[in-house]
Amino acid sequence: MQTVVAQGRLIDQQLHVGSHPGHDVTHRLKIRVDNVSFWYGEKQALDGITLDLYDQEVTAFIGPSGCGKSTLLRCLNRMNDEIREARMTGQILLDGENINAPDVDPPFLRRRFGWVAQKPNPFPRSVYYNIAYGALLHGLVRRRDETDALVRRCLERAGLWDEVKDRLDKPGTDLSGGQQQRLCVARAISTDPEVLLMDEPGSALDPVSTAHLEELIEELREHYCIVIITHNMQEAARISQRAAFFHLGKLVEQGDTKDIFVRPRTQLCHDYVTGRYG
Ligand SMILES: Nc1ncnc2c1ncn2[C@@H]1O[C@H](COP(=O)(O)OP(=O)(O)OP(=O)(O)O)[C@@H](O)[C@H]1O
Ligand SMILES: [Mg+2]
């Protein structure tokens, strides 16, 4: 595996930019965030964010705590709709269509997204049920053989099948932390989403499980537009094609991951990716 090491004095903590390919101009624009601002009551959390997210690419949202990363992630699938007194201006276009248009049904929109949370949170039911539930609920599968095939396909894609194929009837919560998180990834893809949103998915995992999850994300990339929030700069540099650096609700820099980590344009971004503050 070839590893490109950041050159020069700029990056002084030996940040390894991954061997994964960078941003590819032939990849399709999936989501356009257009001048989005967001308020929780009086408190403004996002200020004029304009950002493009591409199919078959991982975009990393980075930046210090409270800068608005999770807020923006929740705007993408309208999860913030549930929050009272929340207000958004600007537009988010998914495949060119405004997700907040009056004729968009939020539950239907949310099905186009898979969500992986910070802490593995399988349902306290069987491994099988964890995967089958959403697809049965939405009528994507009906017969037992279809459901069996879906469960197997999702677990294989999440790199978990061999480890759990003999324990499909055992509680998902009995798996190890890393396995539980891969089960949650398998669950997230069970309803056939187009976009995967991951809010610090590796933060509760040990380094080996995190490495496993990163490999999985790189494999999944081929099929989805992926957005991942991480506080781990090594991880962001390793797994993403594009990165967006936020600070106090503003998007300070966005671009190809290699540029953000090797040649950041702003002092703020430089100081953050080199670990001077966070
Ligand atoms: N439900 C809420 N009600 C009011 N304010 C909120 C709510 N959720 C977040 N905030 C505020 O909005 C700002 C952005 O929060 P957000 O959770 O998006 O940050 P973040 O970048 O994800 O931070 P972290 O890295 O700590 O997860 C913060 O000031 C936060 O306190
Ligand atoms: Mg957050």
Side-chain angles (χ1 to χ4, degrees), residues 59-222:
T59 302
F61 286 2
I62 58 173
S65 184
C67 66
K69 305 178 296 295
S70 298
T71 300
L72 182 60
L73 207 67
R74 289 193 302 261
C75 285
L76 299 179
N77 67 347
R78 292 186 54 176
M79 251 164 56
N80 288 326
D81 283 16
E82 319 295 329
I83 300 173
R84 281 181 55 228
E85 301 197 339
R87 184 165 68 87
M88 190 192 109
T89 60
Q91 280 196 336
I92 297 175
L93 305 173
L94 174 63
D95 289 337
E97 310 226 348
N98 182 356
I99 64 163
N100 291 294
D103 60 339
V104 173
D105 176 35
F108 194 77
L109 174 85
R110 276 183 213 121
R111 269 177 50 194
R112 300 177 66 184
F113 293 83
W115 182 275
V116 180
Q118 185 167 3
K119 285 216 188 83
N121 58 354
F123 305 133
R125 299 280 298 270
S126 69
V127 169
Y128 187 96
Y129 178 88
N130 266 276
I131 313 296
Y133 171 76
L136 284 166
L137 183 72
H138 296 301
L140 302 178
V141 285
R142 287 200 171 79
R143 298 195 317 268
R144 177 70 196 214
D145 60 332
E146 288 173 338
T147 315
D148 288 353
L150 170 96
V151 167
R152 179 172 183 155
R153 195 167 61 243
C154 293
L155 288 169
E156 280 177 346
R157 193 173 268 191
L160 195 57
W161 173 250
D162 286 337
E163 288 162 70
V164 300
K165 62 175 188 269
D166 300 323
R167 331 159 43 182
L168 294 177
D169 55 341
K170 296 282 182 309
T173 44
D174 282 1
L175 301 177
S176 75
Q179 288 172 330
Q180 286 188 31
Q181 197 59 313
R182 278 180 281 138
L183 179 62
C184 293
V185 171
R187 183 179 62 188
I189 60 180
S190 67
T191 48
D192 213 11
E194 299 155 46
V195 184
L196 288 182
L197 305 176
M198 304 187 177
D199 196 344
E200 303 186 47
S203 61
L205 304 182
D206 63 87
V208 173
S209 301
T210 304
H212 208 142
L213 183 71
E214 287 181 14
E215 279 169 33
L216 171 60
I217 291 170
E218 169 59 16
E219 282 163 24
L220 291 171
R221 179 169 78 75
E222 187 188 334

Side-chain angles (χ1 to χ4, degrees), residues 241-254:
Q241 279 67 50
R242 288 174 46 83
F245 169 67
F246 297 84
H247 187 258
L248 297 175
K250 290 197 161 70
L251 178 60
V252 179
E253 283 199 36
Q254 63 166 312

